[in-house]
Amino acid sequence: MMVFSNSSFDKICARAITHRQSCKNNQNQKGVVLFFALIALVVMSLAAVALIRSVDTNSLIAGNLSFKQSSMLSADRGVENAITWLKTKNANSLNTDLAVNGYYATADVAPHLDAKALVDASGLADMTDTQGNTITYVIQRMCTQQGINTNSYDKRLTNCLFSPGPDPNPKESGVQKVKSLPTKQIVYRITVKVVGPKNTTSYIQTFAF
């Protein structure tokens, strides 16, 4: 049996008390570390989610740009097809509407349809290309009314929009008269609508003469 003196016993007790306080302080420190670790984990999780969303958004934007570029290229084909169709017609046949071919002899089509609304409602579905883009177009002669006598120079000036160029019929009353106003060919407005994958829709407008 061990016998302690009073002083030794006090020292032992003091050490025991110090040890308990040290353990308590260590437990408190562990709690603080755990708290900050949880905060760091939450911050890192939020950063990871933000990064994933950013990558998804960039991928979506890149995909949409790709679809848009594809639809623009397809619209060029629609414009070319419309110009080819115009070249097969003579001027007299273009004085009246040929809606079945997507052609209108006036710039303003009743009931006040603009070009976008017109191609939506009455465009000629021209083709679907290998990329899955559906091409529709309308051609509008830039004149205020149908049936204009396009052989009359003055009437053409009044009622239609013309491209720059010399007068094709400069003679008047047997005397050659060169018109100073640069006009030559009637201008046609071609509006192309392309609908592609994922509802990609593009409108392209071109003026041709």
Side-chain angles (χ1 to χ4, degrees), residues 9-23:
F9 184 77
D10 291 341
K11 291 179 181 178
I12 292 173
C13 289
R15 289 177 183 173
I17 291 171
T18 303
H19 179 70
R20 283 199 299 271
Q21 289 177 345
S22 177
C23 291

Side-chain angles (χ1 to χ4, degrees), residues 5 7-8 27 34 36 49 56 60 63 72 75 81 104-105 117 121 125 136 147 157 171 180-181 183 194-195 202:
S5 63
S7 59
S8 298
Q27 289 177 350
L34 179 62
F36 284 109
V49 171
D56 287 344
L60 182 62
M72 297 282 284
N81 289 346
Y104 297 88
T136 306
L157 289 182
K171 293 182 180 179
S180 58
L181 189 62
T183 58
V194 180
V195 179
S202 297

Side-chain angles (χ1 to χ4, degrees), residues 25-47:
N25 290 336
N26 287 337
Q27 289 177 350
N28 291 336
Q29 289 176 358
K30 289 181 180 177
V32 172
V33 170
L34 179 62
F35 176 73
F36 284 109
L38 289 175
I39 292 178
L41 182 62
V42 171
V43 171
M44 291 176 65
S45 299
L46 292 176

Side-chain angles (χ1 to χ4, degrees), residues 79-97:
V79 171
E80 292 295 332
N81 289 346
I83 291 175
T84 300
W85 183 86
L86 279 173
K87 289 180 177 177
T88 63
K89 304 295 179 183
N90 59 50
N92 291 331
S93 66
L94 296 176
N95 287 337
T96 56
D97 291 347

